Amino acid sequence: MHGRPPNADDRAGYDYQSNAVERPDLAAALRARVDGDVRFDSYSKLLYSTDASLYEVTPIGVVCPRSTDDVAAVMTYCASEAIPVLPRGAGTSLGGQTVNEAVVLDFSRYMTDIVSTDPDGRTATVQPGVTLGSLNETLAEAGLKFAPDPAWGDKSVIGGAIGNNSTGAHSLQYGKTDAYVEECEVVLADGTVTRVGEVALSDLPELAAGDDLESRIYAEVARILDEEADLIEETYPDLKRNVSGYNLDWLVEDIRGAARGVGEPDGTGETVNLAKLLCGSEGTLAIVTEATVSLEPVPETKSMALLSYEGLLDAVDDVSAVLEHDPAAVEVLDDVFLDLARETAEFAPVTEMLPAGTEAALIVEFYAESDADGRQTVANLLADRCPSAEPGDVASPAEGRTASDQPVVAFDALEAHDEDERARIWKLRKSAMPILLSRTTDEKHASFIEDTAVPPENLREFVAEFQEILEEHDTYATFYAHAGPGVLHIRPLVNTKTGREQMESIADAATDLVVKYDGSVSGEHGDGRARTQWNRKLYGGDLWETFRQLKTAFDPDWLLNPGQVVYREDDPTRMTENHRVGSDHEVQVDFEPTLSWETENGMAGMVELCHGCGGCRGDQSTTGGVMCPTYRASQEEITTTRGRANALRRVMTGDMDPDEAVSAEFLTEVLDLCIGCKGCAHDCPSEVDMAKMKAELTHEAHQQNGATLRDRLFARVHTLSRVGSALAPLSNLATSVPGSRYLLERTLGIARMRPLPTFCRRTFRDWFDAREQTVSPAAADRTAALYPDTFTDYSNPDAGKAAVRVLEAANVHVTVPAGVGDTGRPAFSKGFLDRARNLARENVDALAPLVESGRDIVVVEPSDAVMLQSDYRDLVSGTDVETVADNTYGVCEYLDTFSLDESVTFERATDDVTYHGHCHQKATAKDHHAVGVLRRAGYAVDPLDSGCCGMAGSFGYEAEHASMSDAIASILLDQVEESAGECVVAPGASCRTQFEGSDRTAGTPQTPIEAVADALDE
Ligand SMILES: Cc1cc2nc3c(=O)[nH]c(=O)nc-3n(C[C@H](O)[C@H](O)[C@H](O)COP(=O)(O)OP(=O)(O)OC[C@H]3O[C@@H](n4cnc5c(N)ncnc54)[C@H](O)[C@@H]3O)c2cc1C
Ligand code: SF4
Ligand code: SF4
């Protein structure tokens, strides 16, 4: 959390909750016992009713504890009332283990401290809500890390990693979370607070001697180890990764002194560690309130090869031979996934790097002591597994290198030694699941058998037979992920509304197949609601009974996340129950949408695109990107894109009153805080566009409830600016009259501390009309119509002048088109879609003929450029719209796209600048252009991996949003302070206002085009 909570300001009109509170008595009883938040309102309950799985169960209520005492108080009270309790982290689980009819304890809200680190002893003690990303960020200074690396580790937390026994792509090297959890403070099912960790076997009888819950737990563990160790050893599959059932095999290995590569037990067979048993227990045995974990050194460097195959079977067949080279990770990607990735804006450039004909690929990563070392390892691998590949530019294969006797099947390969390149490939791999779920139809690559594991040498037969199962079920799947340890993410295409029986039948057959190949139904994501059903078949009736006895010993009344891992006979967990989407599931809006939703399968299709992965919970420092600034500032689930999409879905399915979506409360708590930055449209791997949905719903709310005067004024900021300019300088003085800003806040709700835009009497157009053209159309390389957007025309003509100077220096003939002005951006953002559409139509009518006569449309203000390029397509239809949209450019985008600035002579500028891009440009992947142009103009540029500035058009001006806006800004200002740049350059007018109003930066930044113009050699 950055600075004050965003709703701490008196003017902030939101508390993230609804007024509809259920079970007020229970809520009051808990509130009397805890310091943390107790939320039993309908919005909070719906937010915690889903996770990243197919499932949905409405919880009883939500508590965000602040301390172990809070947790113990909740558990003690709930135990006394026989109320189930569910500990939860980021809710990114894929099996449904984080939804239940229970009181949810959300650890990610407050219990996020890194209690202590001990670099010498290589341990850290943390609260359960700390994300793996932020823990590793803290540890980086000491060259250490928490080694398990689940793909979503920058969003998911330690408590969740323990609950699921998580691991990631580098499990070949590091194993799972159980290898690193040394000791835990826990709250037991009766509210007892205790610690579990390593104990001597000789101490077990004494620990088990009492009559309290803790003693009974030790007694049962001792019994199981005494009576069932042989059965456990024989039955558990011999895999690097198995997270089905309880982690009893670890304890048996402990007492038998088994040696492991990682997290090695002392090998004496004299100790046992119950903290390991909690790993993978999915919140069903005890609640972790603090964990001490061991750490690993960060490798010096890494190297990577990407091997190309003609098909999936070839790729998985090659895994065993690749493993002989001792890689840290081996991941497989198949054709189904690669084809989908090729269609996304974000990943198409990455897939383009792949050699032609790549139908499947293995990503092979090595840890290395040095760059040369890494290159050598890759060269050795390629010499063995893909000799036809072009050798890397440095290393040639070493003498005596590993050479497998398996036939070569890879037909080509590429190497990635550069960190950014490797990061791009990993991002592609890690976004596989959300990309797969980006279909807007009911048929989706659903997650229900998606992490089967078999020994790698069995992969080929396993995959081939799995494909037969799928064919028998009239479908196909994508196969990807951790081929090295034998874990495949298999996602069959099924109709999520009508295909439950089909899913169950596939899962049943898949369980038989993993049993046949000595595998497990879950090598990664845990049992949850999707796989608990199969544990009896996987482990047999005797061990199933053992699981039940263990559960009963820990949790006599089965109150902790009941139904996961193991179930009671009278209450079986069926994978077909509690699906979020059922055959009668109909997502619809009961008004006629105004925007075009054709490509999204209707507005409903867009809402359903959100599958709950939690990607929008990422922290700026660990994930970068824009999405979702409001969550980053507030850490509240309701302010994530996921939270908003969930709320909208519940309204649109009729689970909530349909009028709710346009009610004042819903707009305030759910939609108002979406600042419309469009970050999700780009950063969400499924491209959920919440800004567009917000515009649609706000429009409908205006139709039903009318609009406020302030909204109407902001929507007409162009008219206000025109008047302000005509009356300047008087208009500028008006707001400096003492008391005027206070009055504006009281009457219109415009935050008094924000600098208001000032207006120039002489507009950009006035200046342009009065000047001589310096480039004749006949001699010009290109001709451009420079759009006089509102801010450039009336408030910052200097930016327009700079654009003209630079364009003309690049031999572009520039005109300023008549008959255009307001692009409609403010009206669109404020939900006045009829006005925005009329303006779009007028502007398209004026601009299309210009484009047809050979002119390009160039815009200085980024949000206006993106309005023409992107949002017009949703507002109006016709080829002229497409023509205008396709030929509109931001000014730096224009220079960069056509390499126009390369012919310009610049005096070498000396400034080091910090560049903060505009979110709308980031959302449309156009942000990089300005950086390239500034660099060619001679600037040393530090492009910030920044999110939104928090102003977002009018958002930051609104008094009730000012504190949220400040909280978002402070993330950006932290980045600016850390940057080496001497001054900031920012293209967006709102962003520059945010900087201008801050006492943490000096003055108002220039636009990039002004900085480029300053560097001209004139
Ligand atoms: C796109 C995507 C990629 C993923 N990739 C991976 C991957 O590479 N590897 C992997 O292992 N998983 C992966 N997952 C699954 C998931 O992200 C991980 O298992 C993650 O570690 C879960 O953490 P969380 O904070 O979201 O926990 P949650 O989902 O909130 O909880 C997970 C389990 O832990 C329990 N739990 C949470 N806190 C506590 C506590 N304090 N005490 C006791 N129990 C608790 C919960 O009850 C639940 O059963 C992925 C998920 C997604 C959406
Ligand atoms: S909005 Fe996107 S990133 Fe967020 S949970 Fe939904 S699908 Fe995932
Ligand atoms: S538009 Fe921006 S603020 Fe709104 S949900 Fe998307 S990322 Fe979050």
Side-chain angles (χ1 to χ4, degrees):
M1 172 85 58
H2 304 257
R4 285 202 317 150
N7 64 344
D9 190 315
D10 289 346
R11 297 167 297 178
Y14 48 91
D15 64 0
Y16 312 117
Q17 296 176 51
S18 79
N19 292 324
V21 175
E22 290 167 48
R23 301 196 60 174
D25 294 351
L26 176 56
L30 293 176
R31 209 165 276 132
R33 288 167 172 78
V34 304
D35 286 338
D37 300 343
V38 176
R39 300 177 178 181
F40 277 54
D41 66 287
S42 57
Y43 294 168
S44 301
K45 285 169 53 156
L46 78 83
L47 291 172
Y48 290 83
S49 64
T50 58
D51 50 14
S53 71
L54 292 173
Y55 298 94
E56 178 172 281
V57 183
T58 305
I60 295 168
V62 180
V63 177
C64 302
R66 288 182 186 271
S67 64
T68 302
D69 286 350
D70 275 2
V71 178
V74 170
M75 194 65 242
T76 306
Y77 185 78
C78 287
S80 72
E81 300 289 316
I83 296 169
V85 173
L86 163 63
R88 172 162 163 146
T92 65
S93 285
L94 289 151
Q97 57 267 53
T98 29
V99 293
N100 218 330
E101 198 176 335
V103 170
V104 173
L105 290 168
D106 176 1
F107 285 97
S108 71
R109 183 67 188 86
Y110 299 119
M111 291 186 66
T112 57
D113 284 350
I114 296 171
V115 180
S116 62
T117 58
D118 173 7
D120 296 334
R122 288 197 186 167
T123 60
T125 298
V126 295
Q127 288 190 313
V130 72
T131 64
L132 307 190
S134 52
L135 173 60
N136 283 337
E137 208 180 37
T138 304
L139 295 169
E141 212 170 294
L144 295 171
K145 65 176 181 178
F146 176 71
D149 58 346
W152 251 212
D154 45 6
K155 295 110 191 162
S156 59
V157 305
I158 282 278
I162 295 173
N164 286 351
N165 203 0
S166 302
T167 185
H170 298 91
S171 60
L172 279 176
Q173 183 93 14
Y174 295 121
K176 309 186 293 290
T177 293
D178 49 13
Y180 302 93
V181 177
E182 303 304 333
E183 188 178 298
C184 292
E185 177 190 77
V186 293
V187 173
L188 300 178
D190 63 352
T192 305
V193 179
T194 185
R195 300 192 83 85
V196 294
E198 189 168 81
V199 293
L201 282 180
S202 55
D203 290 342
L204 269 185
E206 194 186 331
L207 288 165
D211 194 29
D212 56 8
L213 180 60
E214 194 173 353
S215 304
R216 293 199 298 274
I217 291 169
Y218 280 111
E220 179 59 14
V221 169
R223 185 199 69 74
I224 290 173
L225 293 178
D226 196 34
E227 297 173 10
E228 299 182 43
D230 287 343
L231 178 66
I232 291 167
E233 195 172 67
E234 281 159 23
T235 315
Y236 272 71
D238 186 14
L239 292 168
K240 272 187 184 291
R241 294 174 62 159
N242 167 32
V243 297
S244 282
Y246 287 122
N247 220 12
L248 288 167
D249 53 338
W250 185 288
L251 301 196
V252 171
E253 285 176 18
D254 261 2
I255 61 166
R256 299 203 159 165
R260 299 185 184 93
V262 285
E264 212 154 323
D266 61 7
T268 60
E270 289 171 2
T271 63
V272 72
N273 188 333
L274 260 59
K276 312 287 186 184
L277 189 55
L278 298 182
C279 297
S281 66
E282 301 178 20
T284 63
L285 298 182
I287 304 170
V288 177
T289 48
E290 191 178 280
T292 298
V293 294
S294 53
L295 308 170
E296 289 287 320
V298 177
E300 284 300 322
T301 186
K302 298 170 189 170
S303 61
M304 183 186 276
L306 204 136
L307 300 169
S308 291
Y309 301 88
E310 284 169 4
L312 172 67
L313 289 182
D314 279 354
V316 292
D317 208 20
D318 211 15
V319 171
S320 298
V322 169
L323 288 176
E324 290 175 32
H325 290 263
D326 199 20
V330 181
E331 301 279 299
V332 67
L333 303 175
D334 76 349
D335 56 333
V336 180
F337 166 66
L338 288 172
D339 285 348
L340 283 171
R342 285 179 180 116
E343 286 168 23
T344 65
E346 187 170 6
F347 295 111
V350 188
T351 52
E352 276 162 20
M353 293 170 9
L354 299 177
T358 303
E359 292 292 309
L362 286 184
I363 299 170
V364 187
E365 187 169 76
F366 297 96
Y367 288 164
E369 293 293 321
S370 65
D371 183 56
D373 190 24
R375 286 171 192 270
Q376 183 64 66
T377 318
V378 166
N380 294 349
L381 172 81
L382 297 189
D384 177 28
R385 303 314 312 148
C386 189
S388 60
E390 294 264 316
D393 47 357
V394 178
S396 50
E399 291 289 318
R401 64 187 185 272
T402 304
S404 169
D405 51 14
Q406 310 250 3
V408 167
V409 271
F411 72 86
D412 205 346
L414 57 89
E415 302 180 31
H417 299 289
D418 172 69
E419 197 178 334
D420 290 344
E421 218 168 348
R422 282 198 312 270
R424 274 205 299 280
I425 293 172
W426 274 124
K427 194 167 180 196
L428 168 74
R429 157 59 199 94
K430 290 182 179 189
S431 294
M433 192 276 276
I435 290 173
L436 287 165
L437 290 182
S438 55
R439 284 173 174 263
T440 52
T441 59
D442 293 337
E443 300 226 303
K444 298 202 191 291
H445 286 283
S447 126
F448 59 101
I449 42 153
E450 87 283 353
D451 57 329
T452 54
V454 293
E457 60 276 14
N458 296 343
L459 272 174
R460 186 185 174 100
E461 288 74 18
F462 176 75
V463 169
E465 285 184 45
F466 211 118
Q467 282 172 330
E468 283 169 24
I469 294 174
L470 294 167
E471 271 167 38
E472 283 161 20
H473 287 84
D474 292 327
T475 188
Y476 65 97
T478 170
F479 293 71
Y480 67 97
H482 319 298
V487 180
L488 289 183
H489 291 334
I490 306 173
R491 287 181 167 253
L493 189 69
V494 289
N495 186 310
T496 45
K497 279 188 183 163
T498 58
R500 291 194 210 178
E501 275 67 35
Q502 186 192 19
M503 290 187 213
E504 190 173 38
S505 176
I506 293 172
D508 195 6
T511 309
D512 290 335
L513 196 63
V514 292
V515 171
K516 175 177 171 187
Y517 285 108
D518 302 323
S520 163
V521 289
S522 179
E524 181 165 296
H525 296 149
D527 297 322
R529 293 173 181 274
R531 282 173 290 267
T532 293
Q533 177 177 351
W534 310 112
N535 275 342
R536 189 199 294 254
K537 193 187 247 188
L538 183 68
Y539 288 107
D542 290 344
L543 270 183
W544 175 255
E545 198 47 44
T546 305
F547 289 168
R548 285 155 51 103
Q549 286 162 353
L550 184 76
K551 166 75 177 168
T552 309
F554 270 91
D555 181 15
D557 297 318
W558 289 54
L559 295 177
L560 285 167
N561 203 9
Q564 323 297 308
V565 186
V566 62
Y567 55 73
R568 278 177 157 166
E569 280 309 290
D570 57 358
D571 189 16
T573 306
R574 288 276 309 275
M575 65 167 287
T576 46
E577 285 167 11
N578 294 304
H579 278 221
R580 177 199 297 207
V581 173
S583 48
D584 55 350
H585 176 93
E586 205 58 60
V587 178
Q588 53 193 358
V589 277
D590 59 355
F591 58 84
E592 197 49 48
T594 298
L595 297 170
S596 164
W597 295 94
E598 249 170 68
T599 51
E600 296 96 345
N601 196 22
M603 189 171 161
M606 173 65 91
V607 167
E608 293 214 277
L609 264 185
C610 173
H611 44 83
C613 72
C616 37
R617 287 179 58 107
D619 194 51
Q620 179 70 43
S621 55
T622 54
T623 52
V626 176
M627 170 183 76
C628 174
T630 50
Y631 174 74
R632 286 172 181 168
S634 71
Q635 307 288 300
E636 289 284 349
E637 176 72 23
I638 200 169
T639 65
T640 60
T641 317
R642 170 170 85 172
R644 293 176 182 123
N646 271 331
L648 285 174
R649 187 174 46 78
R650 289 293 281 266
V651 171
M652 288 161 74
T653 49
D655 288 350
M656 276 167 73
D657 183 351
D659 291 339
E660 179 79 21
V662 290
S663 72
E665 187 180 33
F666 191 84
L667 290 174
T668 305
E669 299 295 350
V670 179
L671 282 188
D672 231 24
L673 291 181
C674 166
I675 60 177
C677 66
K678 283 178 164 281
C680 43
H682 181 265
D683 297 346
C684 161
S686 299
E687 299 178 1
V688 172
D689 187 347
M690 187 52 66
K692 185 175 169 187
M693 287 195 274
K694 180 183 172 177
E696 186 73 81
L697 281 156
T698 318
H699 172 80
E700 181 57 22
H702 290 335
Q703 308 307 304
Q704 293 192 24
N705 314 328
T708 64
L709 174 61
R710 187 184 65 185
D711 281 350
R712 278 182 273 138
L713 284 175
F714 279 139
R716 290 175 179 271
V717 78
H718 182 86
T719 315
L720 292 179
S721 301
R722 197 175 59 225
V723 174
S725 164
L727 298 180
L730 220 59
S731 48
N732 297 330
L733 290 176
T735 52
S736 54
V737 172
S740 62
R741 297 305 312 272
Y742 179 76
L743 205 65
L744 264 182
E745 182 167 314
R746 286 300 299 270
T747 52
L748 286 176
I750 295 174
R752 59 183 178 275
M753 79 289 270
R754 289 275 179 241
L756 289 175
T758 52
F759 306 106
C760 299
R761 180 79 180 214
R762 189 162 193 245
T763 65
F764 165 65
R765 258 189 277 219
D766 294 340
W767 170 83
F768 189 85
D769 291 344
R771 69 188 287 278
E772 298 278 313
Q773 293 277 3
T774 61
V775 180
S776 77
D781 288 336
R782 299 192 75 88
T783 56
L786 186 61
Y787 192 103
D789 64 79
T790 305
F791 200 79
T792 305
D793 201 15
Y794 298 116
S795 293
N796 191 17
D798 286 350
K801 294 176 196 171
V804 174
R805 281 173 60 207
V806 177
L807 289 171
E808 290 187 346
N811 201 28
V812 176
H813 173 72
V814 182
T815 53
V816 173
V820 296
D822 189 351
T823 59
R825 161 63 67 204
F828 186 88
S829 302
K830 300 306 295 178
F832 295 89
L833 298 185
D834 294 332
R835 178 177 163 77
R837 175 176 295 108
N838 292 340
L839 287 164
R841 181 39 60 207
E842 279 170 31
N843 290 333
V844 168
D845 288 348
L847 296 174
L850 299 181
V851 175
E852 272 147 26
S853 71
R855 275 184 229 172
D856 309 304
I857 313 299
V858 177
V859 191
V860 173
E861 179 58 32
S863 62
D864 287 308
V866 173
M867 185 74 194
L868 268 64
Q869 291 170 319
S870 165
D871 300 282
Y872 274 15
R873 298 180 206 257
D874 293 329
L875 279 167
V876 278
S877 54
T879 48
D880 50 354
V881 181
E882 303 298 325
T883 306
V884 169
D886 290 346
N887 290 284
T888 296
Y889 306 88
V891 61
C892 288
E893 176 192 359
Y894 186 55
L895 292 166
D896 193 36
T897 303
F898 298 106
S899 308
L900 297 170
D901 55 318
E902 282 174 12
S903 62
V904 177
T905 316
F906 292 104
E907 281 175 3
R908 257 200 110 61
T910 52
D911 285 354
D912 288 356
V913 297
T914 300
Y915 175 76
H916 163 68
H918 188 280
C919 341
H920 287 178
Q921 285 183 324
K922 289 175 184 158
T924 47
K926 294 175 185 299
D927 187 38
H928 57 285
H929 295 293
V931 177
V933 175
L934 281 164
R935 284 189 175 143
R936 285 193 293 277
Y939 289 91
V941 188
D942 177 13
L944 294 181
D945 192 5
S946 50
C948 181
C949 69
M951 279 304 285
S954 61
F955 183 87
Y957 285 108
E958 295 161 355
E960 73 278 20
H961 296 146
S963 51
M964 173 64 88
S965 171
D966 287 347
I968 296 170
S970 79
I971 303 172
L972 169 62
L973 295 170
D974 287 348
Q975 290 180 298
V976 170
E977 281 171 358
E978 279 163 25
S979 165
E982 291 161 48
C983 60
V984 180
V985 170
S990 322
C991 316
R992 292 197 305 279
T993 311
Q994 187 72 285
F995 284 114
E996 187 187 343
S998 164
D999 51 14
R1000 292 174 62 188
T1001 51
T1004 312
Q1006 276 191 315
T1007 59
I1009 196 65
E1010 288 171 279
V1012 172
D1014 281 356
L1016 283 176
D1017 185 12
E1018 287 177 333

